[in-house]
Coordinates of all heavy atoms in Angstrom, one line a residue:
M1 N -24.5 53.2 16.7 CA -25.9 52.7 16.7 C -26.3 52.5 18.1 O -25.9 51.6 18.8 CB -26.0 51.5 15.9 CG -27.3 50.9 15.9 SD -27.5 49.3 15.0 CE -27.1 49.9 13.3
A2 N -27.2 53.4 18.6 CA -27.6 53.3 20.0 C -28.9 52.5 20.1 O -29.1 51.9 21.2 CB -27.9 54.7 20.5
D3 N -29.7 52.4 19.1 CA -30.9 51.7 19.2 C -30.8 50.3 18.6 O -31.3 49.9 17.5 CB -32.1 52.4 18.6 CG -33.4 51.9 19.0 OD1 -33.5 50.9 19.8 OD2 -34.5 52.4 18.5
Y4 N -30.2 49.3 19.4 CA -29.9 48.0 19.0 C -31.2 47.2 18.8 O -31.3 46.4 17.8 CB -29.0 47.3 20.0 CG -27.7 48.0 20.2 CD1 -27.3 48.6 21.4 CD2 -26.7 48.0 19.2 CE1 -26.1 49.2 21.6 CE2 -25.5 48.6 19.4 CZ -25.2 49.2 20.5 OH -24.0 49.8 20.7
A5 N -32.2 47.4 19.7 CA -33.4 46.7 19.5 C -34.1 47.0 18.2 O -34.7 46.1 17.6 CB -34.3 47.0 20.7
A6 N -34.1 48.2 17.8 CA -34.7 48.5 16.5 C -34.0 47.8 15.3 O -34.7 47.4 14.4 CB -34.7 50.1 16.3
D7 N -32.7 47.7 15.4 CA -32.0 47.0 14.4 C -32.3 45.6 14.4 O -32.6 44.9 13.3 CB -30.4 47.2 14.5 CG -29.7 46.7 13.3 OD1 -30.0 47.1 12.2 OD2 -28.7 45.9 13.5
I8 N -32.3 44.9 15.6 CA -32.7 43.5 15.7 C -34.1 43.3 15.2 O -34.4 42.2 14.6 CB -32.5 43.1 17.1 CG1 -31.0 43.1 17.6 CG2 -33.0 41.7 17.3 CD1 -30.8 43.1 19.0
A9 N -35.0 44.2 15.4 CA -36.4 44.0 15.1 C -36.6 43.9 13.5 O -37.6 43.5 13.1 CB -37.2 45.2 15.6
K10 N -35.6 44.3 12.8 CA -35.6 44.2 11.3 C -35.6 42.7 10.9 O -36.0 42.4 9.8 CB -34.5 44.9 10.7 CG -34.5 46.4 10.8 CD -33.2 47.0 10.2 CE -33.1 48.5 10.6 NZ -31.7 49.0 10.1
Y11 N -35.1 41.8 11.8 CA -34.9 40.5 11.5 C -35.7 39.5 12.3 O -35.8 38.3 11.9 CB -33.4 40.1 11.6 CG -32.5 41.1 10.9 CD1 -31.9 42.1 11.6 CD2 -32.3 40.9 9.5 CE1 -31.1 43.0 10.9 CE2 -31.5 41.8 8.9 CZ -30.9 42.8 9.6 OH -30.1 43.8 8.9
T12 N -36.2 40.0 13.4 CA -37.1 39.1 14.3 C -38.1 39.9 15.0 O -37.9 41.1 15.1 CB -36.1 38.3 15.2 OG1 -36.9 37.3 15.9 CG2 -35.5 39.3 16.2
K13 N -39.1 39.2 15.4 CA -40.1 40.0 16.2 C -40.0 39.6 17.7 O -39.3 38.7 18.0 CB -41.5 39.7 15.7 CG -41.9 38.2 15.5 CD -43.3 38.1 14.8 CE -43.4 36.9 14.1 NZ -44.8 36.6 13.7
D14 N -40.7 40.4 18.5 CA -40.6 40.2 19.9 C -39.2 40.2 20.5 O -38.7 39.3 21.1 CB -41.3 38.8 20.3 CG -42.7 38.7 19.9 OD1 -43.4 39.8 19.9 OD2 -43.2 37.7 19.5
V15 N -38.5 41.3 20.2 CA -37.2 41.5 20.8 C -37.2 41.7 22.2 O -38.0 42.5 22.8 CB -36.5 42.7 20.0 CG1 -35.1 43.0 20.6 CG2 -36.4 42.5 18.5
D16 N -36.4 41.0 23.0 CA -36.4 41.1 24.4 C -35.3 42.1 24.8 O -34.0 41.8 24.7 CB -36.0 39.7 25.0 CG -36.1 39.6 26.5 OD1 -35.8 40.6 27.2 OD2 -36.3 38.5 27.1
Q17 N -35.7 43.2 25.3 CA -34.8 44.3 25.6 C -33.8 43.8 26.7 O -32.6 44.3 26.7 CB -35.5 45.6 26.1 CG -34.6 46.8 26.3 CD -33.9 47.2 25.0 OE1 -34.4 47.4 24.0 NE2 -32.5 47.4 25.2
D18 N -34.2 43.1 27.6 CA -33.2 42.6 28.7 C -32.1 41.8 28.1 O -30.9 41.8 28.6 CB -34.0 41.7 29.8 CG -34.8 42.6 30.6 OD1 -34.7 43.8 30.7 OD2 -35.8 42.0 31.2
K19 N -32.4 41.0 27.1 CA -31.4 40.2 26.3 C -30.5 41.1 25.6 O -29.2 40.9 25.5 CB -32.0 39.2 25.5 CG -33.0 38.2 26.1 CD -32.4 37.5 27.3 CE -33.4 36.5 27.9 NZ -33.0 35.8 29.0
V20 N -31.0 42.1 25.0 CA -30.2 43.1 24.3 C -29.2 43.8 25.2 O -28.0 43.9 24.9 CB -31.1 44.1 23.5 CG1 -30.2 45.2 22.9 CG2 -32.0 43.5 22.5
D21 N -29.7 44.2 26.4 CA -29.0 44.9 27.3 C -27.8 43.9 27.8 O -26.7 44.3 28.0 CB -29.8 45.3 28.5 CG -30.7 46.4 28.1 OD1 -30.5 47.0 27.1 OD2 -31.7 46.6 28.9
A22 N -28.1 42.6 28.0 CA -27.1 41.7 28.4 C -26.0 41.5 27.3 O -24.8 41.4 27.7 CB -27.7 40.3 28.6
I23 N -26.3 41.6 26.1 CA -25.3 41.5 25.0 C -24.5 42.7 25.0 O -23.2 42.7 24.9 CB -26.0 41.2 23.6 CG1 -26.6 39.9 23.6 CG2 -24.9 41.4 22.5 CD1 -27.5 39.6 22.4
V24 N -25.1 43.9 25.1 CA -24.4 45.1 25.2 C -23.4 45.1 26.3 O -22.2 45.5 26.2 CB -25.4 46.4 25.3 CG1 -24.6 47.6 25.6 CG2 -26.2 46.5 24.0
K25 N -23.8 44.6 27.5 CA -22.9 44.5 28.6 C -21.8 43.6 28.3 O -20.6 43.9 28.7 CB -23.8 44.1 29.9 CG -22.9 44.0 31.1 CD -23.7 43.7 32.3 CE -22.9 43.5 33.5 NZ -23.6 43.1 34.7
Y26 N -22.1 42.4 27.7 CA -21.1 41.5 27.4 C -20.0 42.0 26.5 O -18.8 41.9 26.7 CB -21.7 40.2 26.7 CG -20.7 39.2 26.2 CD1 -20.2 38.3 27.1 CD2 -20.3 39.2 24.8 CE1 -19.3 37.3 26.6 CE2 -19.4 38.3 24.4 CZ -18.9 37.3 25.2 OH -18.0 36.4 24.8
C27 N -20.5 42.8 25.4 CA -19.5 43.4 24.5 C -18.7 44.5 25.1 O -17.6 44.8 24.6 CB -20.4 43.9 23.2 SG -21.1 42.6 22.2
G28 N -19.3 45.2 26.0 CA -18.7 46.3 26.7 C -18.0 47.3 25.8 O -18.6 47.9 25.0
I29 N -16.7 47.6 26.1 CA -16.0 48.6 25.5 C -15.8 48.4 24.0 O -15.6 49.4 23.3 CB -14.6 48.8 26.2 CG1 -14.0 50.1 25.9 CG2 -13.7 47.7 25.8 CD1 -12.8 50.5 26.7
A30 N -16.0 47.2 23.5 CA -15.9 46.9 22.1 C -16.9 47.8 21.2 O -16.6 48.1 20.1 CB -16.0 45.5 21.8
L31 N -18.0 48.1 21.9 CA -19.0 48.8 21.1 C -18.7 50.3 20.9 O -19.4 50.9 20.1 CB -20.4 48.6 21.8 CG -20.9 47.2 21.9 CD1 -22.2 47.2 22.6 CD2 -21.0 46.6 20.5
R32 N -17.7 50.7 21.6 CA -17.4 52.2 21.5 C -16.5 52.4 20.2 O -16.5 53.6 19.7 CB -16.5 52.6 22.7 CG -17.3 52.6 24.0 CD -16.5 53.1 25.1 NE -17.2 52.9 26.3 CZ -16.7 53.1 27.5 NH1 -15.4 53.4 27.7 NH2 -17.4 52.9 28.6
N33 N -15.9 51.5 19.7 CA -15.2 51.6 18.5 C -16.0 51.1 17.2 O -16.5 50.0 17.3 CB -13.9 50.8 18.6 CG -13.0 50.8 17.4 OD1 -13.4 50.7 16.3 ND2 -11.6 51.0 17.6
R34 N -16.1 51.9 16.2 CA -16.9 51.5 15.1 C -16.5 50.2 14.5 O -17.3 49.3 14.2 CB -16.9 52.6 14.0 CG -17.7 52.3 12.8 CD -17.9 53.4 11.9 NE -18.4 53.0 10.6 CZ -19.6 52.5 10.3 NH1 -20.5 52.3 11.2 NH2 -19.9 52.2 9.0
D35 N -15.2 50.0 14.3 CA -14.7 48.8 13.7 C -15.1 47.5 14.5 O -15.5 46.5 14.0 CB -13.3 48.8 13.4 CG -12.7 47.7 12.6 OD1 -13.3 47.3 11.6 OD2 -11.7 47.0 13.0
S36 N -14.9 47.6 15.8 CA -15.1 46.4 16.6 C -16.6 46.3 17.0 O -17.0 45.2 17.5 CB -14.2 46.5 17.9 OG -14.6 47.6 18.7
S37 N -17.4 47.2 16.7 CA -18.9 47.1 17.0 C -19.6 46.5 15.8 O -20.7 46.2 15.9 CB -19.5 48.5 17.2 OG -19.5 49.3 16.0
L38 N -18.8 46.2 14.7 CA -19.4 45.6 13.5 C -18.8 44.2 13.3 O -17.7 43.9 13.7 CB -19.2 46.4 12.3 CG -19.8 47.9 12.4 CD1 -19.3 48.6 11.1 CD2 -21.2 47.9 12.5
V39 N -19.6 43.3 12.6 CA -19.0 42.0 12.2 C -18.9 41.9 10.8 O -19.9 42.2 10.0 CB -20.0 40.9 12.7 CG1 -19.6 39.5 12.2 CG2 -20.1 40.8 14.2
S40 N -17.7 41.6 10.3 CA -17.5 41.5 8.9 C -17.7 40.1 8.4 O -16.9 39.2 8.7 CB -16.1 41.9 8.5 OG -15.7 41.6 7.2
A41 N -18.8 39.8 7.6 CA -19.1 38.5 7.2 C -18.1 37.9 6.2 O -18.0 36.7 6.1 CB -20.5 38.5 6.5
G42 N -17.3 38.8 5.6 CA -16.4 38.3 4.6 C -15.0 38.0 5.2 O -14.1 37.7 4.4
D43 N -14.8 38.3 6.5 CA -13.6 38.1 7.1 C -13.5 36.7 7.9 O -14.1 36.7 9.0 CB -13.2 39.3 8.0 CG -11.9 39.2 8.7 OD1 -11.2 38.2 8.5 OD2 -11.5 40.2 9.3
P44 N -12.8 35.7 7.4 CA -12.8 34.4 8.2 C -12.3 34.6 9.6 O -12.8 33.9 10.6 CB -11.9 33.5 7.4 CG -11.9 34.2 6.0 CD -12.1 35.6 6.2
K45 N -11.4 35.5 9.9 CA -10.8 35.7 11.3 C -11.9 36.3 12.1 O -12.0 35.9 13.3 CB -9.6 36.6 11.2 CG -8.4 35.9 10.6 CD -7.2 36.9 10.6 CE -6.6 37.1 11.9 NZ -5.4 37.9 11.9
E46 N -12.7 37.2 11.6 CA -13.8 37.8 12.4 C -14.9 36.7 12.7 O -15.3 36.7 13.8 CB -14.5 38.9 11.6 CG -15.6 39.6 12.3 CD -15.3 40.3 13.5 OE1 -14.1 40.8 13.7 OE2 -16.1 40.4 14.4
L47 N -15.3 35.9 11.8 CA -16.2 34.9 12.0 C -15.7 33.8 13.0 O -16.5 33.4 13.8 CB -16.7 34.2 10.7 CG -17.3 35.1 9.7 CD1 -17.6 34.4 8.4 CD2 -18.6 35.8 10.3
A48 N -14.4 33.5 12.9 CA -13.8 32.7 13.9 C -13.8 33.3 15.4 O -14.0 32.6 16.3 CB -12.3 32.3 13.6
T49 N -13.7 34.6 15.4 CA -13.7 35.3 16.7 C -15.2 35.2 17.3 O -15.3 34.9 18.5 CB -13.4 36.8 16.5 OG1 -12.0 36.9 16.1 CG2 -13.6 37.5 17.8
V50 N -16.2 35.3 16.4 CA -17.6 35.2 16.9 C -17.8 33.7 17.3 O -18.4 33.5 18.4 CB -18.6 35.5 15.8 CG1 -20.0 35.2 16.1 CG2 -18.4 37.0 15.4
R51 N -17.3 32.8 16.5 CA -17.5 31.4 16.8 C -16.8 30.9 18.2 O -17.4 30.3 19.0 CB -17.0 30.5 15.7 CG -17.2 29.0 15.9 CD -16.3 28.2 14.9 NE -14.9 28.4 15.2 CZ -14.0 28.5 14.3 NH1 -14.3 28.6 13.0 NH2 -12.7 28.7 14.6
D52 N -15.6 31.3 18.3 CA -14.7 30.9 19.4 C -14.9 31.8 20.7 O -14.6 31.4 21.7 CB -13.2 30.9 19.0 CG -13.0 30.0 17.8 OD1 -13.8 29.0 17.7 OD2 -12.0 30.2 17.2
G53 N -15.5 33.0 20.5 CA -15.7 33.9 21.5 C -17.2 33.7 22.0 O -17.5 32.9 22.9
F54 N -18.1 34.5 21.5 CA -19.5 34.6 22.0 C -20.2 33.2 21.9 O -20.8 32.8 22.9 CB -20.2 35.6 21.2 CG -21.6 35.8 21.7 CD1 -21.9 36.5 22.8 CD2 -22.7 35.3 20.9 CE1 -23.3 36.6 23.2 CE2 -24.0 35.4 21.3 CZ -24.3 36.1 22.5
A55 N -20.0 32.6 20.8 CA -20.8 31.3 20.5 C -20.4 30.2 21.5 O -21.1 29.5 22.0 CB -20.7 30.9 19.1
K56 N -19.0 30.1 21.7 CA -18.5 29.1 22.5 C -18.6 29.4 24.0 O -19.1 28.7 24.8 CB -17.1 28.8 22.1 CG -16.4 27.7 22.9 CD -15.0 27.4 22.5 CE -14.4 26.3 23.4 NZ -13.0 26.1 23.1
K57 N -18.1 30.6 24.3 CA -17.9 31.0 25.7 C -19.3 31.3 26.4 O -19.6 31.0 27.5 CB -17.0 32.1 25.9 CG -15.6 31.7 25.6 CD -14.6 32.9 25.6 CE -13.2 32.4 25.2 NZ -12.3 33.6 25.2
K58 N -20.1 32.1 25.6 CA -21.4 32.6 26.2 C -22.5 31.6 26.0 O -23.4 31.4 26.8 CB -21.7 34.0 25.7 CG -22.8 34.7 26.3 CD -22.5 35.1 27.7 CE -23.6 36.0 28.3 NZ -23.4 36.2 29.7
L59 N -22.6 31.0 24.7 CA -23.7 30.2 24.4 C -23.4 28.7 24.6 O -24.3 27.9 24.5 CB -24.2 30.4 23.0 CG -24.6 31.9 22.6 CD1 -25.0 32.0 21.2 CD2 -25.7 32.4 23.6
G60 N -22.1 28.3 24.7 CA -21.7 27.0 24.9 C -21.9 26.1 23.7 O -22.1 24.9 23.8
L61 N -21.7 26.7 22.5 CA -21.9 25.9 21.3 C -20.7 25.2 20.9 O -19.5 25.7 21.0 CB -22.3 26.8 20.2 CG -23.6 27.6 20.4 CD1 -23.9 28.6 19.2 CD2 -24.9 26.6 20.5
E62 N -20.8 24.0 20.3 CA -19.6 23.4 19.7 C -19.3 24.1 18.4 O -20.1 24.8 17.7 CB -20.0 21.9 19.4 CG -20.2 21.1 20.7 CD -19.0 20.9 21.5 OE1 -17.9 20.9 21.0 OE2 -19.1 21.0 22.7
P63 N -18.0 24.0 17.9 CA -17.6 24.7 16.8 C -18.4 24.5 15.5 O -18.7 25.5 14.8 CB -16.1 24.3 16.6 CG -15.6 23.9 17.9 CD -16.9 23.3 18.6
D64 N -18.7 23.3 15.2 CA -19.5 23.0 14.0 C -20.9 23.6 14.1 O -21.5 24.2 13.2 CB -19.6 21.5 13.8 CG -18.3 20.9 13.3 OD1 -17.4 21.7 12.9 OD2 -18.1 19.7 13.4
E65 N -21.6 23.4 15.2 CA -22.9 24.0 15.5 C -22.8 25.5 15.4 O -23.7 26.1 14.8 CB -23.4 23.6 16.8 CG -24.8 24.1 17.2 CD -25.2 23.7 18.6 OE1 -24.4 23.3 19.4 OE2 -26.4 23.9 18.9
A66 N -21.9 26.1 16.0 CA -21.7 27.6 16.0 C -21.5 28.1 14.5 O -22.1 29.0 14.1 CB -20.6 28.0 16.8
A67 N -20.6 27.4 13.8 CA -20.4 27.8 12.4 C -21.6 27.8 11.5 O -21.9 28.7 10.7 CB -19.2 27.0 11.8
A68 N -22.4 26.7 11.7 CA -23.6 26.6 10.9 C -24.6 27.7 11.3 O -25.3 28.3 10.4 CB -24.2 25.2 11.1
A69 N -24.7 28.0 12.5 CA -25.7 29.0 13.0 C -25.2 30.4 12.5 O -26.0 31.2 12.1 CB -25.8 29.0 14.5
I70 N -23.9 30.6 12.6 CA -23.3 31.9 12.1 C -23.6 32.1 10.6 O -24.0 33.2 10.2 CB -21.8 32.0 12.4 CG1 -21.6 32.1 13.9 CG2 -21.2 33.2 11.7 CD1 -20.2 31.9 14.4
D71 N -23.5 31.0 9.8 CA -23.8 31.0 8.4 C -25.3 31.4 8.2 O -25.5 32.3 7.3 CB -23.5 29.7 7.7 CG -22.1 29.5 7.6 OD1 -21.2 30.4 7.6 OD2 -21.6 28.3 7.3
K72 N -26.2 30.9 9.0 CA -27.6 31.2 8.8 C -27.9 32.7 9.2 O -28.6 33.3 8.5 CB -28.5 30.3 9.7 CG -28.5 28.9 9.2 CD -29.4 28.0 10.0 CE -29.4 26.6 9.5 NZ -30.3 25.7 10.3
V73 N -27.2 33.1 10.2 CA -27.4 34.6 10.6 C -26.8 35.5 9.5 O -27.5 36.4 9.1 CB -26.7 34.8 12.0 CG1 -26.6 36.4 12.3 CG2 -27.3 34.1 13.1
M74 N -25.7 35.1 9.0 CA -25.1 35.9 7.9 C -26.0 35.9 6.6 O -26.2 36.9 5.9 CB -23.7 35.5 7.5 CG -22.7 35.6 8.6 SD -22.5 37.4 9.1 CE -22.7 37.3 10.8
Q75 N -26.7 34.8 6.4 CA -27.7 34.7 5.3 C -28.8 35.6 5.6 O -29.4 36.2 4.6 CB -28.1 33.2 5.0 CG -27.0 32.4 4.4 CD -27.4 30.9 4.4 OE1 -28.6 30.6 4.6 NE2 -26.4 30.1 4.1
T76 N -29.3 35.6 6.8 CA -30.4 36.4 7.1 C -30.1 37.9 7.0 O -31.0 38.7 6.6 CB -30.8 36.2 8.7 OG1 -31.1 34.8 8.8 CG2 -31.9 37.1 9.1
M77 N -28.9 38.3 7.2 CA -28.4 39.7 7.1 C -27.8 40.0 5.8 O -27.2 41.0 5.6 CB -27.5 40.0 8.3 CG -28.2 39.8 9.6 SD -27.0 40.3 11.0 CE -27.1 42.1 10.9
T78 N -28.0 39.1 4.8 CA -27.4 39.4 3.5 C -27.9 40.8 3.0 O -29.0 41.1 3.1 CB -27.9 38.3 2.4 OG1 -27.4 37.0 2.9 CG2 -27.4 38.6 1.1
G79 N -27.0 41.5 2.4 CA -27.3 42.8 1.8 C -27.0 43.9 2.8 O -27.0 45.1 2.5
V80 N -26.7 43.6 4.1 CA -26.4 44.6 5.1 C -24.9 44.7 5.2 O -24.2 43.7 5.5 CB -27.0 44.2 6.5 CG1 -26.6 45.2 7.6 CG2 -28.5 44.1 6.4
R81 N -24.4 45.9 4.8 CA -22.9 46.0 4.8 C -22.4 46.1 6.2 O -21.3 45.5 6.4 CB -22.7 47.3 3.9 CG -21.1 47.6 3.8 CD -20.9 48.6 2.8 NE -19.5 49.1 2.9 CZ -18.5 48.5 2.3 NH1 -18.7 47.4 1.6 NH2 -17.3 49.0 2.4
N82 N -23.0 46.9 7.0 CA -22.5 47.1 8.4 C -23.3 46.3 9.4 O -24.4 46.8 9.8 CB -22.5 48.5 8.8 CG -21.6 49.4 7.9 OD1 -20.5 48.9 7.6 ND2 -22.0 50.5 7.4
K83 N -22.9 45.1 9.7 CA -23.7 44.2 10.6 C -23.2 44.5 12.0 O -22.1 44.3 12.4 CB -23.3 42.8 10.2 CG -23.9 42.3 8.8 CD -23.3 41.0 8.5 CE -23.8 40.5 7.1 NZ -23.5 41.3 6.0
S84 N -24.3 44.9 12.8 CA -24.0 45.3 14.1 C -23.7 44.0 15.0 O -24.3 43.0 14.8 CB -25.3 46.0 14.7 OG -25.3 45.9 16.2
R85 N -22.7 44.1 15.7 CA -22.2 43.0 16.5 C -23.4 42.5 17.5 O -23.6 41.4 17.6 CB -21.0 43.3 17.4 CG -20.4 42.1 18.2 CD -19.0 42.4 18.7 NE -18.1 42.8 17.6 CZ -17.5 41.9 16.9 NH1 -17.6 40.6 17.1 NH2 -16.6 42.2 15.9
V86 N -24.1 43.5 18.1 CA -25.2 43.2 19.0 C -26.3 42.4 18.3 O -26.8 41.4 18.7 CB -25.7 44.5 19.7 CG1 -27.0 44.1 20.5 CG2 -24.7 45.1 20.5
T87 N -26.6 42.9 17.1 CA -27.6 42.2 16.3 C -27.2 40.8 15.9 O -28.0 39.8 16.0 CB -28.0 43.0 15.0 OG1 -28.4 44.3 15.4 CG2 -29.0 42.3 14.1
V88 N -26.0 40.6 15.4 CA -25.4 39.3 15.1 C -25.5 38.4 16.3 O -26.0 37.3 16.2 CB -24.0 39.4 14.5 CG1 -23.4 38.0 14.4 CG2 -24.0 40.1 13.2
Y89 N -25.1 38.8 17.4 CA -25.0 38.0 18.6 C -26.5 37.6 19.1 O -26.7 36.5 19.5 CB -24.3 38.7 19.8 CG -22.9 38.8 19.7 CD1 -22.2 38.3 18.5 CD2 -22.0 39.3 20.7 CE1 -20.8 38.3 18.5 CE2 -20.7 39.3 20.6 CZ -20.0 38.8 19.4 OH -18.7 38.8 19.4
Y90 N -27.4 38.6 19.0 CA -28.8 38.3 19.4 C -29.4 37.3 18.5 O -30.0 36.3 19.0 CB -29.6 39.6 19.4 CG -31.0 39.4 19.9 CD1 -31.3 39.8 21.2 CD2 -32.0 38.9 19.1 CE1 -32.6 39.6 21.8 CE2 -33.3 38.8 19.6 CZ -33.6 39.1 20.9 OH -34.9 38.9 21.5
L91 N -29.2 37.4 17.1 CA -29.8 36.5 16.2 C -29.1 35.1 16.3 O -29.8 34.1 16.2 CB -29.6 37.0 14.8 CG -30.4 38.3 14.4 CD1 -30.0 38.8 13.0 CD2 -31.9 38.1 14.6
L92 N -27.9 35.1 16.7 CA -27.2 33.8 16.9 C -27.7 33.1 18.1 O -28.0 31.9 18.0 CB -25.6 34.1 17.1 CG -24.8 32.9 17.3 CD1 -24.9 31.9 16.1 CD2 -23.4 33.3 17.4
A93 N -27.9 33.8 19.2 CA -28.5 33.2 20.4 C -29.9 32.7 20.0 O -30.3 31.7 20.5 CB -28.5 34.3 21.5
E94 N -30.7 33.6 19.4 CA -32.1 33.2 19.0 C -32.1 31.9 18.0 O -32.9 31.0 18.3 CB -32.8 34.3 18.4 CG -34.2 34.0 18.0 CD -34.9 35.3 17.3 OE1 -34.5 35.6 16.2 OE2 -35.8 35.8 17.9
Q95 N -31.3 32.0 17.0 CA -31.1 30.9 16.1 C -30.9 29.6 16.8 O -31.3 28.5 16.3 CB -30.1 31.2 15.1 CG -29.7 30.1 14.1 CD -30.7 30.0 13.0 OE1 -31.3 30.9 12.6 NE2 -30.9 28.8 12.6
T96 N -30.0 29.6 17.8 CA -29.7 28.3 18.5 C -30.5 28.0 19.7 O -30.2 27.0 20.4 CB -28.2 28.4 18.8 OG1 -28.0 29.6 19.7 CG2 -27.2 28.5 17.6
G97 N -31.5 28.8 20.0 CA -32.4 28.5 21.1 C -31.7 28.8 22.5 O -32.0 28.2 23.4
N98 N -30.8 29.7 22.4 CA -29.9 30.1 23.6 C -30.2 31.4 24.2 O -29.3 31.9 24.9 CB -28.4 29.8 23.3 CG -28.1 28.4 23.3 OD1 -28.3 27.6 24.1 ND2 -27.6 28.0 22.1
L99 N -31.2 32.0 23.9 CA -31.5 33.4 24.4 C -31.5 33.3 25.9 O -31.2 34.4 26.6 CB -32.9 34.0 23.9 CG -32.8 34.7 22.5 CD1 -34.2 35.1 22.1 CD2 -31.9 35.9 22.5
D100 N -31.9 32.3 26.5 CA -32.0 32.2 28.0 C -30.6 32.2 28.6 O -30.5 32.3 29.9 CB -32.8 30.9 28.4 CG -32.2 29.6 27.8 OD1 -31.6 29.6 26.8 OD2 -32.3 28.6 28.5
K101 N -29.6 32.0 27.9 CA -28.3 32.0 28.4 C -27.6 33.4 28.5 O -26.6 33.6 29.1 CB -27.3 31.1 27.6 CG -27.6 29.6 27.7 CD -26.7 28.8 27.0 CE -27.0 27.3 27.2 NZ -26.0 26.5 26.5
L102 N -28.4 34.4 28.0 CA -27.9 35.7 28.1 C -28.2 36.4 29.4 O -29.1 36.1 30.1 CB -28.5 36.5 26.9 CG -28.2 36.0 25.6 CD1 -28.9 36.8 24.5 CD2 -26.6 36.0 25.3

């Protein structure tokens, strides 16, 4: 999926392309592999990776705050089988008011 902004725009308006680019840069090589470019909402280990990686290290969220925000993002994306990591990260940053940290 090359057009990350278009995917994010399905869930929010006024997508900031600079923030999208920052997330793509943060994810780096992980986006080259289909499996690692997606977030599995049904896999507790994957959600822990999002919580302990991006949410904690990049956004500075505490575990409980991050888990609650991740749950909201997953609810927002209900019905989407292949959740783009970039979209999940963008919505997580937006949900927690941390877009400025990207």
Side-chain angles (χ1 to χ4, degrees):
M1 175 180 299
D3 195 359
Y4 299 112
D7 189 54
I8 295 166
K10 295 175 187 175
Y11 308 100
T12 187
K13 47 185 157 169
D14 301 325
V15 177
D16 185 331
Q17 186 63 48
D18 290 338
K19 305 301 184 187
V20 175
D21 293 344
I23 293 171
V24 170
K25 184 177 178 181
Y26 174 83
C27 292
I29 198 166
L31 298 178
R32 293 183 187 170
N33 179 312
R34 176 165 166 72
D35 187 51
S36 61
S37 71
L38 302 173
V39 174
S40 173
D43 182 356
K45 287 177 75 177
E46 176 66 27
L47 297 178
T49 298
V50 173
R51 182 194 67 221
D52 299 336
F54 182 76
K56 180 179 179 182
K57 294 176 182 175
K58 188 71 174 172
L59 302 180
L61 300 176
E62 294 297 322
D64 291 341
E65 180 185 13
I70 291 167
D71 285 344
K72 287 182 183 179
V73 170
M74 293 302 128
Q75 289 173 11
T76 299
M77 297 181 77
T78 296
V80 177
R81 181 169 168 83
N82 296 318
K83 294 171 179 60
S84 162
R85 184 167 303 278
V86 174
T87 301
V88 169
Y89 286 4
Y90 187 95
L91 295 176
L92 182 59
E94 183 181 64
Q95 172 76 31
T96 60
N98 287 302
L99 278 175
D100 59 327
K101 291 186 178 180
L102 300 177

